[in-house]
């Protein structure tokens, strides 16, 4: 009997979808030596380069977001789904998966649907408090739905939904070596991490730099700033102009480790970020991305704010002055910060990756 289990993890493109998939892959490998993993998604550089860094096999399919609108758009969307469905079935026949897990993103739709057609066990993992369109559609076909929030909109009462939390990837030693901040920072200083997610956020970058101009004694902080590829040069120049020594990069692959170094975060409200903050008990100002599908980041941020575990500032309201006032009010109140840390850790579910991995490994004999 062949004890090897072949697993496809479908979806990605952005860190919010890709990193939970990587976390589950890591958990699968930690629980079994007889697992073979293939990621199927897009050919987006971020996705392909990240998976190469983590040494996971990857195949891309032709996939685009599902669009409504007029008949021409609907026909175009249907034709793309048909092409990606055929590509997915070819991959299935070649790789012969025992299980297919969708982690969201439009590229996961055809892969999970193809698995359903071929009667291969499936599951989807929803990271957000408001599910994306792809997972809303796939919830009809998947055998089980792993949710990250207890009150996931539209899924809380679904009998197939299982609340496990959002998987968080592990940092490896190659990432530690890539980190220039480790040898440059004073561990006795308050460390502030600023990030707009894997793609950066100009509004956060601009507001934070404006806030720094209004602050006194910025030398009492260590600052780690992930800018996104488009703003890196501009932000570096601004730090130089302000004569502030900060560690600035377009993207850090070792974000979990940087979060371990940080005392406070200013960030977007993607589900992966929310989960990492909870596990680490890291207080934050959350600025939801206003153009996220179905405004799901606002739902994520409100879920934490409602518990007193974070503070939310809407992107439209974000200015240097408001950011400075909010930040000063929080770091000046150690009791409130300690309370936020306590509430975040209470919300944490650090074993989500292992729970999903265990389900997959126990499912090899499931069919249909």
């Amino acid at each position: 009997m062949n004890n090897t289990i072949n697993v496809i993890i479908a979806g990605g493109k952005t860190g919010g979808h890709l990193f939970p998939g990587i976390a589950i892959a890591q958990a699968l490998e930690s629980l079994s030596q007889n697992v073979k993993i293939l990621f199927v998604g897009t050919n987006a550089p971020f996705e392909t380069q990240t998976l190469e860094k983590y040494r996971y096999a990857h195949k891309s399919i032709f996939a685009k977001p599902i669009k409504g609108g007029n008949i021409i758009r609907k026909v175009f969307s249907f034709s793309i789904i048909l092409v990606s469905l055929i590509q997915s079935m070819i991959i299935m026949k070649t790789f012969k998966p025992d299980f297919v897990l969708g982690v969201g993103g439009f590229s996961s739709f055809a892969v999970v649907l193809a698995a359903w057609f071929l009667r291969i066990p499936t599951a989807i993992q929803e990271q957000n408090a408001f599910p994306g369109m792809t997972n809303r559609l796939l919830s009809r076909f998947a055998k089980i739905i792993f949710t990250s929030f207890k009150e996931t909109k539209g899924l809380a009462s679904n009998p197939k939904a299982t609340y496990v939390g959002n998987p968080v990837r592990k940092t490896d030693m190659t990432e530690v070596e890539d980190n220039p901040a480790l040898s440059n920072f004073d561990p006795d200083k308050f460390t502030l991490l600023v990030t707009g997610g894997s793609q950066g956020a100009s509004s956060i970058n601009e507001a934070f730099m404006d806030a720094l101009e209004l602050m006194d004694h910025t030398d009492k902080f260590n600052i780690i700033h992930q800018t996104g590829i488009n703003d890196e040069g501009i932000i570096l120049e601004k730090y130089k102009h302000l004569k502030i020594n900060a560690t600035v990069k377009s993207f850090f692959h070792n974000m979990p480790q940087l979060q371990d170094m940080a005392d406070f975060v200013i960030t977007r409200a993607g589900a992966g970020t929310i989960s990492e903050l909870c596990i680490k008990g890291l207080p934050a100002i959350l600025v939801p991305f206003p153009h996220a599908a179905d405004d799901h980041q606002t739902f994520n941020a409100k879920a934490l704010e409602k518990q007193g575990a974070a503070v939310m500032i809407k992107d439209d309201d974000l200015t240097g002055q408001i950011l400075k006032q909010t930040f000063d009010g929080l770091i000046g109140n150690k009791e409130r910060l300690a309370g936020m840390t306590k509430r975040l850790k209470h919300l944490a579910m650090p074993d989500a990756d292992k729970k999903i991995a265990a389900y997959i490994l126990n499912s090899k004999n499931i069919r249909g």
Side-chain angles (χ1 to χ4, degrees):
M1 179 180 176
N2 182 11
N3 290 323
T4 300
I5 179 168
N6 293 346
V7 179
I8 284 179
I9 299 176
K13 189 173 182 180
T14 65
H17 296 304
L18 189 59
F19 290 142
I22 289 172
I24 295 164
Q26 290 173 328
L28 283 166
E29 291 173 330
S30 72
L31 293 175
S32 174
Q33 295 180 342
N34 299 316
V35 62
K36 186 177 179 182
I37 298 166
L38 175 67
F39 280 79
V40 179
T42 71
N43 60 359
F46 173 78
E47 181 175 332
T48 57
Q49 291 167 14
T50 299
L51 288 170
E52 184 180 354
K53 185 177 182 67
Y54 280 89
R55 300 182 180 89
Y56 285 117
H58 174 265
K59 286 189 177 294
S60 61
I61 59 172
F62 183 67
K64 297 287 182 184
I66 300 167
K67 299 286 187 182
N70 60 40
I71 187 68
I72 296 174
R73 283 190 174 183
K74 288 179 180 177
V75 170
F76 181 66
S77 292
F78 179 77
S79 65
I80 289 174
I81 292 171
L82 189 59
V83 170
S84 58
L85 192 59
I86 292 169
Q87 289 178 312
S88 299
M89 286 189 166
I90 292 171
I91 291 171
M92 301 283 170
K93 291 298 184 183
T94 305
F95 185 70
K96 295 180 173 56
D98 297 290
F99 197 96
V100 173
L101 174 69
V103 292
F106 51 83
S107 60
S108 69
F109 180 76
V111 185
V112 176
L113 192 60
W116 180 78
F117 277 131
L118 296 171
R119 300 182 70 78
I120 298 166
T122 60
I124 56 174
Q125 189 264 328
E126 176 53 55
Q127 300 92 20
N128 296 294
F130 192 103
M133 179 183 287
T134 299
N135 274 352
R136 292 203 301 272
L137 293 171
L138 288 175
S139 65
R140 305 172 189 178
F141 305 99
K143 275 188 165 295
I144 187 167
I145 306 162
F146 296 108
T147 62
S148 301
F149 289 85
K150 196 170 187 177
E151 298 298 327
T152 301
K153 190 174 179 65
L155 294 178
S157 59
N158 190 316
K160 294 193 288 186
T162 299
Y163 169 50
V164 295
N166 198 31
V168 176
R169 66 197 161 114
K170 305 295 187 293
T171 302
D172 64 25
M173 289 310 294
T174 59
E175 294 174 318
V176 174
E177 291 168 4
D178 287 344
N179 180 23
L182 289 178
S183 59
N184 296 338
F185 273 37
D186 183 345
D188 295 326
K189 288 184 178 180
F190 189 93
T191 299
L192 179 59
L193 175 61
V194 183
T195 170
S198 60
Q199 299 178 69
S202 291
S203 58
I204 292 178
N205 292 338
E206 291 170 12
F208 182 68
M209 299 312 296
D210 290 344
L212 284 178
E213 289 196 65
L214 299 172
M215 290 181 188
D216 297 322
H217 308 299
T218 55
D219 57 341
K220 66 183 179 182
F221 301 123
N222 294 316
I223 299 173
I224 307 171
H225 194 153
Q226 178 172 289
T227 63
I229 191 68
N230 294 327
D231 289 354
E232 183 179 18
I234 297 169
I235 298 303
L236 279 167
E237 282 300 314
K238 287 189 176 183
Y239 276 112
K240 187 176 179 180
H241 173 72
L242 292 172
K243 297 180 180 178
I244 295 174
N245 185 20
T247 298
V248 181
K249 282 184 71 174
S250 61
F251 182 76
F252 293 99
H253 282 281
N254 58 334
M255 188 55 69
Q257 186 193 11
L258 298 181
Q259 290 167 340
D260 287 338
M261 296 169 61
D263 298 295
F264 194 91
V265 185
I266 298 169
T267 183
R268 289 300 196 198
T273 298
I274 296 289
S275 297
E276 289 166 345
L277 296 179
C278 288
I279 289 171
K280 297 172 188 300
L282 190 53
I285 293 172
L286 301 175
V287 186
F289 178 50
H291 307 297
D294 302 307
D295 199 23
H296 67 258
Q297 288 203 7
T298 296
F299 281 87
N300 295 347
K302 283 183 175 179
L304 256 62
E305 189 174 52
K306 184 179 178 181
Q307 299 291 329
V311 173
M312 181 181 79
I313 301 175
K314 290 184 178 180
D315 196 85
D316 289 344
D317 298 333
L318 185 65
T319 65
Q321 184 66 45
I322 288 174
L323 186 58
K324 177 187 178 297
Q325 289 174 353
T326 306
F327 177 67
D328 284 348
L330 288 169
I331 65 166
N333 188 336
K334 292 184 179 180
E335 192 174 310
R336 186 177 180 188
L337 286 179
M340 290 170 74
T341 294
K342 184 177 179 180
R343 292 182 188 98
L344 285 162
K345 288 186 174 181
H346 179 72
L347 294 170
M349 298 188 73
D351 296 327
D353 54 346
K354 288 185 173 60
K355 288 177 181 176
I356 296 172
Y359 178 89
I360 293 171
L361 292 173
N362 289 331
S363 72
K364 179 156 185 181
N365 295 321
I366 297 174
R367 281 294 179 270

